[in-house]
């Protein structure tokens, strides 16, 4: 965010100079045109009028150029001399006529070549050059001259290491804990290896924009006291082919010189988009850059002491090759903060300003569901500005309220704020998943339930973690898992009497499992022990793991498969609904708790499910 701000302000500068240059050019152009056309106050006449004037002996004198005839004639009314201008016409008899009427005439070689040169060549080419210069200016950046295309312009915090510490990153406790290892490694790479640690190499930070991924990466460098080199993925892939790859090379050379250090690549999805996803509109430039990045990451061994950190909010589009061992094999989720997290973040930022005694940070946290660290930092900033505008000694609650309203209004335009009734629905939906997962033995235990939206599609989620690796799954286990998936929709139906589109992904996954039960594992009584599907065909078109119907199956069998799938699904759905009906009080309690806290962990879920009078806070 910090570097985003910098980018913005420097763009502002560019815009400013761009505009003033354009204005200057326009001004010069207009002055020139004015002079060009307003030199003479002569009347324009047609060539035939001119000929008539000649024949009437009224032309005093004239100058003939290739394009114009300029001259002076006698006005009939007052016998005064008047200037005229007429467009020249190819007229071989003109000279004879002028001589016959005793007109004083002369020819001029007009300097048309100069105007031609200016208007026909210098201006257009100058303009093109100017455009090109503007476009490439961004690329050239600060380093390299006119031809320094390949030079990257990452920011290097050379000996001035970032002074951000983990204490500046509020709320992200889990992420900080996971990243602690990287800090240990950077502090003393050799010692870390002597003690038997497997050296980390790449860490992928996954989370919505503004959740503090950049901040966290900087704080990691700050804690370890190492330099921090950062670049944004979109800067890699700019206009000219080959630039991206050479930038990657530069970046890694620089990093090796500075080691131990952290290289931070923001928006890595700009280069790391899955090549399979993109096979139709292949982008060679991006692919080259990605390949170079993979090669560089494989190319140095971890004793060098360089850690590559990257951030993305769309991990699902990343090329799986990036996630292989020795590359970004550690993924850390940087979640949107819950109420407590938001409170902590506000505390961090509010330290920098003077607040009145009426300001209640807990209330501010409650007023800002779904907002991320960057939003909160903005709000504190805005509130301080509002107070300053009113010449107040300190920032008061009213300023914060106004600032929050503004921030929310801005986000509403971008559709990032969930409405109250949607939030309620999501709470019941997720509670439905969680309760069934808690009660059924075949389902994986619930780790966390959240109604903080993650990305655009998921408004909430229930995270389950398998207890231990299972190699054999029974049919009952699989059906239990499907029941969990149906829990969300069933809860919505019970509580609201209607269902929403929020369950779409659940239904898709449920269908996949049920189909597999019937067609791959031969677990359906009617269809029996037959494998009816086989692993998917074209490995480039279908992602790994997709199953394809065998093409030697009769239409009748296909119909039977469909019928059995939908029958089994219906049965499981009824079962899920039955379980929730029996536990309606728990559903109610859990959803209310979720609405209050936004995130509920394993123990809190247990307290609701086991507690007789609900949970004690
Ligand atoms: P991201 O890289 O995830 O888009 P940034 O790290 O750029 O987000 O965060 C932008 C700004 O928001 C930070 O500079 C900081 O001021 C504020 N911020 C974000 N998350 C936190 C946090 N957990 N604690 C304190 N400030 C935060
Ligand atoms: Zn769901």
């Amino acid at each position: 965010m910090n570097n985003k701000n910098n980018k913005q302000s420097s763009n502002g500068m560019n815009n400013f100079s761009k505009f003033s240059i354009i204005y200057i050019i326009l001004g010069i152009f207009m002055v020139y045109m004015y002079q060009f056309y307003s030199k003479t106050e002569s009347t324009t006449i047609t060539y035939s009028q001119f000929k008539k004037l000649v024949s009437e002996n009224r032309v005093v004198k004239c100058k003939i150029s290739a394009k114009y005839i300029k001259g002076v004639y006698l006005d009939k009314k007052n016998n005064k001399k008047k200037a005229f201008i007429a467009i020249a016409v190819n007229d071989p008899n003109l000279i004879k006529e002028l001589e016959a009427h005793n007109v004083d005439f002369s020819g001029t070689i007009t300097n048309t070549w100069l105007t031609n040169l200016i208007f026909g060549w210098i201006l257009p080419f100058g303009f093109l050059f100017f455009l090109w210069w503007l476009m490439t200016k961004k690329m050239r950046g600060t380093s390299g001259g006119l031809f320094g295309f390949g030079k990257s312009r990452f920011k290097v915090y050379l000996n001035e290491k970032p002074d951000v510490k983990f204490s500046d990153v509020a709320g992200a406790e889990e992420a900080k804990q996971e990243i602690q290892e990287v800090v240990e490694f950077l502090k003393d790479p050799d010692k870390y290896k002597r003690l038997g640690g497997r050296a980390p190499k790449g860490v992928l930070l996954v989370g919505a924009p503004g959740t503090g991924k950049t901040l966290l990466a900087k704080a990691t460098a700050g804690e370890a006291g190492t330099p921090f080199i950062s670049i944004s993925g979109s800067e890699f892939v700019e206009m000219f082919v080959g630039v991206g790859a050479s930038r990657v090379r530069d970046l890694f050379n620089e990093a090796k010189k500075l080691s131990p250090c952290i290289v931070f690549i923001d928006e890595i999805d700009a280069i790391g988009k899955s090549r399979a996803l993109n096979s139709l509109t292949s982008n060679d430039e991006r692919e080259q850059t990605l390949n170079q990045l993979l090669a560089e990451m494989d190319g140095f061994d971890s004793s060098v002491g360089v850690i590559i950190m990257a951030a993305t909010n769309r991990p699902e589009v990343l090329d799986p090759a990036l996630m292989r061992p020795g590359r970004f094999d550690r993924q850390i989720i940087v979640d949107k903060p819950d109420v407590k997290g938001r409170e902590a973040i506000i505390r961090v930022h509010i330290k920098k300003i003077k607040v009145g005694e009426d300001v209640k940070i807990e209330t501010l946290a409650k007023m800002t569901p779904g907002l991320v660290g960057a939003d909160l930092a903005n709000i504190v900033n805005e509130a301080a500005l509002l107070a300053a505008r009113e010449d107040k000694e300190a920032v008061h609650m009213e300023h914060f309220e106004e600032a929050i309203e503004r921030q929310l209004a801005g986000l509403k335009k971008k559709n990032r704020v969930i409405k109250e009734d949607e939030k309620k629905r999501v709470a019941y939906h997720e509670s439905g998943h969680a309760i069934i997962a808690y009660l059924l033995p075949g389902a994986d235990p619930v780790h966390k339930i959240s109604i903080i939206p993650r990305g655009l599609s998921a408004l909430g989620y229930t995270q389950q973690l398998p207890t231990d690796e299972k190699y054999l799954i029974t049919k009952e286990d699989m059906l239990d898992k499907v029941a969990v998936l149906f829990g969300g929709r069933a809860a919505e139906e019970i509580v609201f009497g209607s269902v929403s589109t929020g369950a779409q992904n659940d239904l898709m996954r449920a269908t996949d499992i049920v189909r597999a039960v019937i067609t791959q594992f031969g677990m359906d009584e009617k269809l029996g022990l037959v494998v009816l599907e086989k692993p998917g065909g074209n490995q480039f078109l279908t992602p790994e793991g997709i199953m394809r119907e065998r093409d030697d199956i009769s239409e009748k069998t296909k119909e039977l498969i469909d019928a059995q799938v939908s029958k089994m699904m219906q049965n499981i759905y009824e079962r899920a609904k039955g379980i929730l009906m029996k536990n309606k009080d728990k559903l109610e309690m859990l959803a209310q708790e979720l609405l209050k806290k936004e995130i509920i962990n394993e123990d809190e879920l247990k307290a609701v499910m086991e507690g007789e009078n609900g949970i004690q806070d």
Side-chain angles (χ1 to χ4, degrees):
M1 193 64 189
N2 272 339
N3 79 48
K4 274 167 215 156
N5 281 341
N6 284 346
K7 225 188 280 168
Q8 240 162 30
S9 58
S10 73
N11 266 346
M13 272 297 295
N14 284 352
N15 284 344
F16 173 74
S17 52
K18 209 186 290 177
F19 274 116
S20 48
I21 290 173
I22 286 175
Y23 282 135
I24 289 169
I25 288 184
L26 264 180
I28 292 173
F29 188 74
M30 276 162 68
V31 168
Y32 189 87
M33 293 303 275
Y34 178 77
Q35 285 184 342
F36 190 77
Y37 283 109
S38 65
K39 239 188 248 163
T40 45
E41 297 157 33
S42 45
T43 35
T44 310
I45 58 174
T46 63
Y47 190 72
S48 54
Q49 280 171 332
F50 166 69
K51 288 285 276 249
K52 197 167 161 244
L53 287 173
V54 172
S55 60
E56 289 170 5
N57 279 333
R58 286 170 52 206
V59 174
V60 184
K61 60 177 180 181
C62 67
K63 258 186 190 174
I64 302 163
S65 72
K67 284 186 178 162
Y68 306 102
I69 300 169
K70 291 182 188 171
V72 179
Y73 73 96
L74 280 178
D75 199 353
K76 236 183 197 166
K77 285 176 211 151
N78 45 19
N79 243 5
K80 271 196 181 148
K81 286 179 186 171
K82 263 192 157 179
F84 72 86
I85 184 166
I87 305 292
V89 164
N90 187 9
D91 181 354
N93 297 325
L94 180 62
I95 306 292
K96 263 184 223 158
E97 250 171 89
L98 289 177
E99 278 173 344
H101 292 273
N102 272 334
V103 179
D104 174 15
F105 71 91
S106 62
T108 46
I109 302 166
T110 39
N111 281 336
T112 50
W113 66 270
L114 186 62
T115 28
N116 278 347
L117 190 70
I118 291 174
F119 284 99
W121 295 93
I122 295 179
L123 272 185
F125 275 94
F127 189 65
L128 283 181
F129 182 81
F130 176 67
L131 276 186
W132 174 79
W133 175 77
L134 274 185
M135 279 188 326
T136 54
K137 197 164 86 162
K138 204 180 141 220
M139 294 204 40
R140 288 191 309 272
T142 46
S143 67
L146 203 51
F147 297 103
F149 288 136
K151 282 263 189 278
S152 42
R153 41 157 199 149
F154 41 82
K155 257 185 296 174
V156 183
Y157 292 78
L158 279 169
N159 298 317
E160 180 224 13
K161 294 151 186 165
D163 53 0
V164 190
K165 288 276 156 54
F166 277 163
S167 57
D168 297 309
V169 189
E173 296 311 322
E174 273 178 52
K176 278 193 268 185
Q177 232 168 36
E178 284 184 66
I179 234 167
Q180 186 60 37
E181 190 191 9
V182 173
V183 176
E184 298 305 326
F185 171 73
L186 285 173
K187 272 188 181 157
D188 192 347
D190 296 325
K191 185 177 148 211
Y192 184 89
K193 289 192 87 181
R194 259 201 325 277
L195 296 177
R198 189 174 71 89
K201 204 180 216 179
V203 179
L204 186 66
L205 301 173
V206 178
T211 44
K213 298 183 292 296
T214 313
L215 188 69
L216 192 62
K218 261 190 205 165
T220 311
E223 290 282 333
T226 59
F228 179 78
I229 309 176
S230 76
I231 187 163
S232 163
S234 55
E235 281 170 39
F236 271 129
V237 208
E238 269 172 62
M239 262 169 280
F240 294 98
V241 176
V243 174
S246 88
R247 281 188 179 180
V248 173
R249 231 172 291 131
D250 286 354
L251 183 70
F252 277 78
N253 286 339
E254 187 78 16
K256 281 176 210 157
K257 271 187 243 153
L258 291 174
S259 80
C261 71
I262 287 183
V263 172
F264 179 67
I265 306 174
D266 206 356
E267 302 171 54
I268 194 167
D269 34 292
I271 37 174
K273 225 177 262 166
S274 170
R275 287 168 287 196
L277 278 181
N278 232 63
S279 55
L280 289 181
T281 57
S282 121
N283 179 341
D284 284 347
E285 167 66 352
R286 211 196 45 235
E287 204 157 295
Q288 270 182 26
T289 310
L290 176 59
N291 286 337
Q292 187 67 34
L293 178 66
L294 295 178
E296 291 284 351
M297 284 190 82
D298 294 342
F300 70 87
D301 83 293
S302 42
S303 60
V304 178
V306 176
I307 299 277
I308 322 291
M309 294 180 86
T312 182
N313 60 339
R314 303 161 64 206
E316 68 283 354
V317 304
L318 289 185
D319 199 301
L322 275 169
M323 262 72 98
R324 300 245 166 84
R327 293 170 183 168
F328 293 102
D329 48 5
R330 282 168 216 217
Q331 283 129 43
I332 297 181
I333 292 177
V334 188
D335 264 330
K336 285 193 178 178
D338 60 356
V339 189
K340 292 245 167 63
R342 291 197 300 270
E343 197 182 316
I345 295 173
I346 296 173
R347 275 186 207 289
V348 165
H349 289 277
I350 228 167
K351 261 191 242 151
K352 300 165 200 158
I353 63 173
K354 207 172 155 220
V355 291
E357 271 169 23
D358 60 328
V359 173
K360 297 234 166 9
I361 299 181
E362 309 88 79
T363 314
L364 295 178
K366 278 193 198 127
M367 288 167 75
T368 48
L371 298 201
V372 294
D375 300 328
L376 298 170
N378 266 346
I379 287 172
V380 173
N381 214 11
E382 177 87 23
L385 284 178
L386 287 169
R389 211 171 290 159
E390 290 174 13
D391 276 335
K392 289 270 157 58
E393 286 291 307
V395 188
H396 293 284
M397 204 62 179
E398 63 196 72
H399 304 121
F400 281 105
E401 278 162 12
E402 163 108 41
I404 288 173
E405 243 163 59
R406 289 186 184 192
Q407 187 75 18
L408 288 179
L411 295 176
K412 224 171 242 155
K413 269 192 213 139
K414 293 183 206 150
N415 264 333
R416 263 182 53 200
V417 179
I418 4 163
K419 287 197 224 91
E420 205 51 44
D421 54 335
E422 278 173 342
K423 197 171 156 187
K424 204 170 148 200
R425 192 180 270 275
V426 174
Y428 281 96
H429 179 106
E430 298 304 331
S431 299
H433 285 310
I435 287 174
I436 294 186
Y438 186 85
L439 292 174
L440 293 185
D444 295 322
V446 174
H447 177 63
K448 192 159 120 189
I449 322 165
S450 159
I451 53 166
I452 298 172
R454 185 190 256 186
L456 282 177
S457 50
L459 292 175
Y461 59 91
T462 300
Q463 190 182 25
Q464 293 167 271
L465 291 181
T467 28
D468 44 13
E469 297 242 331
K470 275 191 195 166
Y471 295 101
L472 285 175
I473 311 175
T474 62
K475 180 177 175 186
E476 285 68 36
D477 287 349
M478 284 200 273
L479 300 191
D480 283 358
K481 286 185 207 312
V482 176
V484 172
L485 289 169
F486 279 145
R489 191 188 174 100
E492 283 187 53
E493 198 191 325
I494 292 170
V495 177
F496 301 99
S498 67
V499 293
S500 71
T501 52
Q504 192 200 17
N505 187 37
D506 298 337
L507 291 188
M508 252 152 57
R509 282 164 59 198
T511 316
D512 284 348
I513 297 178
V514 171
R515 271 194 90 89
V517 165
I518 291 174
T519 62
Q520 284 171 51
F521 304 119
M523 291 175 178
D524 183 66
E525 305 83 28
K526 267 204 182 148
L527 284 151
L529 293 167
V530 192
V531 172
L532 298 164
E533 283 183 352
K534 59 183 179 183
N538 188 335
Q539 69 179 103
F540 294 107
L541 291 178
T542 48
E544 277 171 63
I546 286 247
M547 302 300 281
R548 224 176 38 148
E549 221 166 57
R550 274 172 47 180
D551 27 30
D552 53 352
I553 295 175
S554 71
E555 281 306 314
K556 216 171 138 202
T557 313
K558 278 184 191 164
E559 268 165 36
L560 187 58
I561 292 176
D562 287 342
Q564 289 303 90
V565 166
S566 88
K567 194 171 128 204
M568 195 180 275
M569 303 246 305
Q570 195 59 41
N571 285 340
I572 303 173
Y573 183 71
E574 293 304 330
R575 179 168 168 236
K577 214 166 118 185
I579 296 173
L580 289 179
M581 292 288 266
K582 245 190 269 157
N583 292 280
K584 219 177 150 188
D585 54 330
K586 304 272 195 275
L587 178 65
E588 188 63 36
M589 260 194 290
L590 189 59
Q592 289 307 328
E593 195 66 13
L594 201 47
L595 280 169
K596 206 161 76 198
K597 288 189 176 153
E598 294 172 12
I599 289 183
I600 283 186
N601 63 26
E602 208 168 339
D603 296 336
E604 289 165 325
L605 171 66
K606 192 168 172 208
V608 172
M609 296 305 290
E610 308 294 324
E612 272 152 32
N613 324 310
I615 28 175
Q616 282 86 38
D617 255 342

